[in-house]
Short mmCIF file of all heavy atoms in Angstrom, two decimals:
data_model
loop_
_atom_site.label_atom_id
_atom_site.label_comp_id
_atom_site.label_asym_id
_atom_site.label_seq_id
_atom_site.Cartn_x
_atom_site.Cartn_y
_atom_site.Cartn_z
N GLY A 1 -173.64 -166.77 -13.31
CA GLY A 1 -172.85 -167.69 -14.11
C GLY A 1 -172.00 -166.94 -15.12
O GLY A 1 -172.07 -165.71 -15.21
N VAL A 2 -171.23 -167.69 -15.87
CA VAL A 2 -170.49 -167.13 -17.00
C VAL A 2 -171.36 -167.26 -18.23
O VAL A 2 -171.82 -168.37 -18.55
CB VAL A 2 -169.14 -167.84 -17.20
CG1 VAL A 2 -168.41 -167.26 -18.42
CG2 VAL A 2 -168.28 -167.72 -15.95
N TYR A 3 -171.59 -166.16 -18.89
CA TYR A 3 -172.45 -166.12 -20.07
C TYR A 3 -171.58 -166.06 -21.33
O TYR A 3 -170.71 -165.19 -21.45
CB TYR A 3 -173.39 -164.92 -20.02
CG TYR A 3 -174.55 -165.12 -19.08
CD1 TYR A 3 -174.36 -165.18 -17.70
CD2 TYR A 3 -175.85 -165.27 -19.56
CE1 TYR A 3 -175.42 -165.39 -16.83
CE2 TYR A 3 -176.92 -165.47 -18.70
CZ TYR A 3 -176.70 -165.53 -17.34
OH TYR A 3 -177.76 -165.74 -16.48
N HIS A 4 -171.86 -166.99 -22.23
CA HIS A 4 -171.15 -167.06 -23.51
C HIS A 4 -172.15 -166.87 -24.65
O HIS A 4 -173.29 -167.35 -24.56
CB HIS A 4 -170.52 -168.43 -23.71
CG HIS A 4 -169.48 -168.80 -22.71
ND1 HIS A 4 -168.12 -168.60 -22.92
CD2 HIS A 4 -169.59 -169.37 -21.48
CE1 HIS A 4 -167.46 -169.04 -21.87
NE2 HIS A 4 -168.32 -169.51 -20.98
N CYS A 5 -171.70 -166.20 -25.70
CA CYS A 5 -172.49 -166.24 -26.93
C CYS A 5 -171.78 -167.18 -27.91
O CYS A 5 -170.57 -167.42 -27.81
CB CYS A 5 -172.69 -164.86 -27.54
SG CYS A 5 -171.20 -164.02 -28.10
N ALA A 6 -172.57 -167.72 -28.83
CA ALA A 6 -172.05 -168.67 -29.79
C ALA A 6 -172.77 -168.50 -31.12
O ALA A 6 -173.92 -168.05 -31.15
CB ALA A 6 -172.24 -170.09 -29.27
N ALA A 7 -172.10 -168.85 -32.19
CA ALA A 7 -172.65 -168.71 -33.53
C ALA A 7 -172.76 -170.07 -34.20
O ALA A 7 -171.87 -170.93 -34.06
CB ALA A 7 -171.78 -167.78 -34.36
N ARG A 8 -173.85 -170.24 -34.93
CA ARG A 8 -174.13 -171.49 -35.63
C ARG A 8 -174.35 -171.16 -37.11
O ARG A 8 -175.24 -170.39 -37.45
CB ARG A 8 -175.38 -172.13 -35.04
CG ARG A 8 -175.85 -173.41 -35.70
CD ARG A 8 -177.09 -173.93 -34.98
NE ARG A 8 -177.54 -175.21 -35.47
CZ ARG A 8 -178.44 -175.38 -36.44
NH1 ARG A 8 -178.98 -174.33 -37.03
NH2 ARG A 8 -178.79 -176.59 -36.82
N ALA A 9 -173.53 -171.75 -37.95
CA ALA A 9 -173.65 -171.48 -39.38
C ALA A 9 -175.01 -171.96 -39.90
O ALA A 9 -175.57 -172.93 -39.40
CB ALA A 9 -172.52 -172.17 -40.13
N TYR A 10 -175.49 -171.28 -40.92
CA TYR A 10 -176.78 -171.62 -41.53
C TYR A 10 -176.80 -173.06 -41.99
O TYR A 10 -175.88 -173.54 -42.65
CB TYR A 10 -177.02 -170.67 -42.72
CG TYR A 10 -178.25 -170.99 -43.52
CD1 TYR A 10 -179.52 -170.73 -42.99
CD2 TYR A 10 -178.17 -171.53 -44.79
CE1 TYR A 10 -180.66 -171.01 -43.72
CE2 TYR A 10 -179.30 -171.80 -45.52
CZ TYR A 10 -180.55 -171.54 -44.98
OH TYR A 10 -181.67 -171.82 -45.71
N ARG A 11 -177.87 -173.77 -41.64
CA ARG A 11 -177.99 -175.18 -42.02
C ARG A 11 -179.32 -175.50 -42.67
O ARG A 11 -179.77 -176.65 -42.65
CB ARG A 11 -177.78 -176.07 -40.80
CG ARG A 11 -176.34 -176.15 -40.29
CD ARG A 11 -176.25 -177.08 -39.09
NE ARG A 11 -174.93 -177.32 -38.57
CZ ARG A 11 -174.23 -176.49 -37.82
NH1 ARG A 11 -174.71 -175.32 -37.54
NH2 ARG A 11 -173.05 -176.82 -37.35
N GLY A 12 -179.97 -174.50 -43.22
CA GLY A 12 -181.15 -174.82 -44.02
C GLY A 12 -182.43 -174.13 -43.63
O GLY A 12 -183.40 -174.18 -44.38
N SER A 13 -182.49 -173.48 -42.47
CA SER A 13 -183.71 -172.78 -42.09
C SER A 13 -183.37 -171.49 -41.35
O SER A 13 -182.53 -171.49 -40.46
CB SER A 13 -184.60 -173.65 -41.20
OG SER A 13 -185.73 -172.90 -40.77
N HIS A 14 -184.05 -170.43 -41.76
CA HIS A 14 -183.92 -169.16 -41.05
C HIS A 14 -185.00 -169.01 -39.98
O HIS A 14 -185.08 -167.96 -39.34
CB HIS A 14 -184.07 -168.00 -42.04
CG HIS A 14 -182.96 -167.92 -43.03
ND1 HIS A 14 -181.64 -167.72 -42.67
CD2 HIS A 14 -182.96 -167.98 -44.37
CE1 HIS A 14 -180.89 -167.67 -43.76
NE2 HIS A 14 -181.66 -167.83 -44.81
N TYR A 15 -185.85 -170.04 -39.81
CA TYR A 15 -187.05 -169.89 -39.00
C TYR A 15 -187.03 -170.72 -37.72
O TYR A 15 -188.06 -170.91 -37.08
CB TYR A 15 -188.28 -170.21 -39.85
CG TYR A 15 -188.40 -169.24 -41.00
CD1 TYR A 15 -187.94 -169.60 -42.28
CD2 TYR A 15 -188.92 -167.97 -40.81
CE1 TYR A 15 -188.01 -168.70 -43.33
CE2 TYR A 15 -188.99 -167.07 -41.86
CZ TYR A 15 -188.54 -167.44 -43.11
OH TYR A 15 -188.61 -166.55 -44.14
N VAL A 16 -185.87 -171.20 -37.37
CA VAL A 16 -185.75 -171.95 -36.12
C VAL A 16 -184.33 -171.77 -35.61
O VAL A 16 -183.39 -171.62 -36.38
CB VAL A 16 -186.08 -173.45 -36.35
CG1 VAL A 16 -185.07 -174.10 -37.28
CG2 VAL A 16 -186.14 -174.18 -35.03
N CYS A 17 -184.18 -171.74 -34.29
CA CYS A 17 -182.84 -171.76 -33.70
C CYS A 17 -182.86 -172.76 -32.54
O CYS A 17 -183.93 -173.14 -32.05
CB CYS A 17 -182.40 -170.38 -33.23
SG CYS A 17 -183.36 -169.67 -31.87
N TYR A 18 -181.68 -173.17 -32.13
CA TYR A 18 -181.55 -174.23 -31.15
C TYR A 18 -180.73 -173.77 -29.96
O TYR A 18 -179.83 -172.94 -30.10
CB TYR A 18 -180.90 -175.46 -31.80
CG TYR A 18 -181.70 -176.00 -32.95
CD1 TYR A 18 -181.41 -175.61 -34.26
CD2 TYR A 18 -182.77 -176.85 -32.75
CE1 TYR A 18 -182.16 -176.08 -35.33
CE2 TYR A 18 -183.53 -177.32 -33.81
CZ TYR A 18 -183.22 -176.94 -35.09
OH TYR A 18 -183.97 -177.39 -36.14
N ARG A 19 -181.01 -174.30 -28.81
CA ARG A 19 -180.30 -173.92 -27.59
C ARG A 19 -179.39 -175.04 -27.09
O ARG A 19 -179.01 -175.03 -25.93
CB ARG A 19 -181.30 -173.49 -26.52
CG ARG A 19 -182.01 -172.18 -26.85
CD ARG A 19 -182.94 -171.75 -25.73
NE ARG A 19 -184.13 -172.58 -25.65
CZ ARG A 19 -184.34 -173.51 -24.73
NH1 ARG A 19 -183.44 -173.76 -23.81
NH2 ARG A 19 -185.47 -174.20 -24.72
N SER A 20 -179.03 -175.96 -27.95
CA SER A 20 -178.11 -177.02 -27.57
C SER A 20 -176.70 -176.61 -27.96
O SER A 20 -176.44 -176.25 -29.11
CB SER A 20 -178.48 -178.31 -28.30
OG SER A 20 -177.48 -179.28 -28.10
N GLU A 21 -175.78 -176.69 -27.01
CA GLU A 21 -174.42 -176.19 -27.29
C GLU A 21 -173.74 -176.99 -28.39
O GLU A 21 -172.88 -176.44 -29.09
CB GLU A 21 -173.59 -176.18 -26.02
CG GLU A 21 -173.32 -177.52 -25.38
CD GLU A 21 -172.39 -177.38 -24.19
OE1 GLU A 21 -171.27 -176.90 -24.36
OE2 GLU A 21 -172.79 -177.79 -23.08
N SER A 22 -174.12 -178.24 -28.58
CA SER A 22 -173.48 -179.06 -29.60
C SER A 22 -173.80 -178.58 -31.02
O SER A 22 -173.14 -178.97 -31.97
CB SER A 22 -173.87 -180.52 -29.44
OG SER A 22 -175.27 -180.67 -29.62
N ASP A 23 -174.81 -177.74 -31.16
CA ASP A 23 -175.20 -177.22 -32.47
C ASP A 23 -174.34 -176.03 -32.91
O ASP A 23 -174.42 -175.61 -34.05
CB ASP A 23 -176.67 -176.77 -32.47
CG ASP A 23 -177.62 -177.96 -32.48
OD1 ASP A 23 -177.40 -178.88 -33.28
OD2 ASP A 23 -178.56 -177.96 -31.67
N TYR A 24 -173.54 -175.48 -32.01
CA TYR A 24 -172.85 -174.22 -32.28
C TYR A 24 -171.39 -174.42 -32.63
O TYR A 24 -170.71 -175.32 -32.11
CB TYR A 24 -173.02 -173.26 -31.10
CG TYR A 24 -174.43 -172.71 -31.08
CD1 TYR A 24 -175.48 -173.48 -30.59
CD2 TYR A 24 -174.72 -171.46 -31.62
CE1 TYR A 24 -176.79 -173.00 -30.63
CE2 TYR A 24 -176.01 -170.98 -31.65
CZ TYR A 24 -177.05 -171.75 -31.16
OH TYR A 24 -178.34 -171.29 -31.21
N ASP A 25 -170.93 -173.56 -33.54
CA ASP A 25 -169.61 -173.73 -34.14
C ASP A 25 -168.54 -172.81 -33.56
O ASP A 25 -167.37 -173.18 -33.52
CB ASP A 25 -169.71 -173.45 -35.66
CG ASP A 25 -170.79 -174.28 -36.33
OD1 ASP A 25 -170.73 -175.52 -36.20
OD2 ASP A 25 -171.69 -173.69 -36.97
N TYR A 26 -168.93 -171.61 -33.16
CA TYR A 26 -167.96 -170.61 -32.71
C TYR A 26 -168.43 -170.03 -31.38
O TYR A 26 -169.63 -169.76 -31.20
CB TYR A 26 -167.82 -169.49 -33.76
CG TYR A 26 -167.53 -169.99 -35.14
CD1 TYR A 26 -168.55 -170.10 -36.09
CD2 TYR A 26 -166.25 -170.40 -35.49
CE1 TYR A 26 -168.29 -170.58 -37.35
CE2 TYR A 26 -165.98 -170.89 -36.75
CZ TYR A 26 -167.00 -170.98 -37.68
OH TYR A 26 -166.74 -171.47 -38.92
N TRP A 27 -167.47 -169.79 -30.50
CA TRP A 27 -167.80 -169.37 -29.13
C TRP A 27 -166.96 -168.16 -28.73
O TRP A 27 -165.79 -168.05 -29.09
CB TRP A 27 -167.52 -170.51 -28.15
CG TRP A 27 -168.47 -171.64 -28.31
CD1 TRP A 27 -168.42 -172.64 -29.25
CD2 TRP A 27 -169.64 -171.89 -27.53
NE1 TRP A 27 -169.48 -173.49 -29.09
CE2 TRP A 27 -170.24 -173.06 -28.05
CE3 TRP A 27 -170.22 -171.26 -26.44
CZ2 TRP A 27 -171.41 -173.60 -27.51
CZ3 TRP A 27 -171.37 -171.79 -25.90
CH2 TRP A 27 -171.97 -172.94 -26.44
N GLY A 28 -167.58 -167.30 -27.91
CA GLY A 28 -166.85 -166.22 -27.27
C GLY A 28 -166.24 -166.69 -25.96
O GLY A 28 -166.48 -167.81 -25.50
N GLN A 29 -165.50 -165.79 -25.33
CA GLN A 29 -164.75 -166.18 -24.14
C GLN A 29 -165.59 -166.09 -22.87
O GLN A 29 -165.21 -166.63 -21.83
CB GLN A 29 -163.51 -165.28 -23.98
CG GLN A 29 -163.76 -163.93 -23.31
CD GLN A 29 -164.55 -162.96 -24.17
OE1 GLN A 29 -164.75 -163.17 -25.36
NE2 GLN A 29 -165.01 -161.86 -23.56
N GLY A 30 -166.72 -165.40 -22.93
CA GLY A 30 -167.63 -165.33 -21.79
C GLY A 30 -167.50 -164.06 -20.97
O GLY A 30 -166.47 -163.39 -20.99
N THR A 31 -168.58 -163.75 -20.27
CA THR A 31 -168.60 -162.61 -19.35
C THR A 31 -169.32 -163.05 -18.07
O THR A 31 -170.33 -163.73 -18.13
CB THR A 31 -169.27 -161.39 -20.00
OG1 THR A 31 -169.15 -160.25 -19.13
CG2 THR A 31 -170.74 -161.63 -20.33
N GLN A 32 -168.78 -162.65 -16.93
CA GLN A 32 -169.31 -163.10 -15.64
C GLN A 32 -170.50 -162.24 -15.23
O GLN A 32 -170.44 -161.01 -15.27
CB GLN A 32 -168.23 -163.01 -14.55
CG GLN A 32 -168.71 -163.37 -13.16
CD GLN A 32 -169.03 -164.84 -13.00
OE1 GLN A 32 -168.26 -165.70 -13.43
NE2 GLN A 32 -170.17 -165.15 -12.36
N VAL A 33 -171.57 -162.92 -14.84
CA VAL A 33 -172.75 -162.26 -14.28
C VAL A 33 -172.96 -162.80 -12.88
O VAL A 33 -173.03 -164.02 -12.69
CB VAL A 33 -173.99 -162.53 -15.15
CG1 VAL A 33 -175.26 -162.03 -14.45
CG2 VAL A 33 -173.84 -161.87 -16.51
N THR A 34 -173.03 -161.91 -11.90
CA THR A 34 -173.22 -162.30 -10.51
C THR A 34 -174.40 -161.53 -9.95
O THR A 34 -174.42 -160.29 -9.99
CB THR A 34 -171.98 -162.03 -9.67
OG1 THR A 34 -170.85 -162.70 -10.23
CG2 THR A 34 -172.19 -162.50 -8.23
#
């Protein structure tokens, strides 16, 4: 697939992260993995 990284601004906890794309604010262009 195409792999993208994304950044999510701090929203109150350093001790949890989320894997829902709607939570993320900034995205890279992606890199293809086959």
Side-chain angles (χ1 to χ4, degrees):
V2 178
Y3 283 68
H4 298 265
C5 64
R8 177 179 185 268
Y10 175 72
R11 288 181 176 76
S13 175
H14 294 299
Y15 298 98
V16 64
C17 66
Y18 300 94
R19 291 183 287 105
S20 171
E21 64 175 301
S22 63
D23 286 313
Y24 286 78
D25 307 304
Y26 307 100
W27 291 80
Q29 83 290 348
T31 186
Q32 176 70 45
V33 171
T34 303

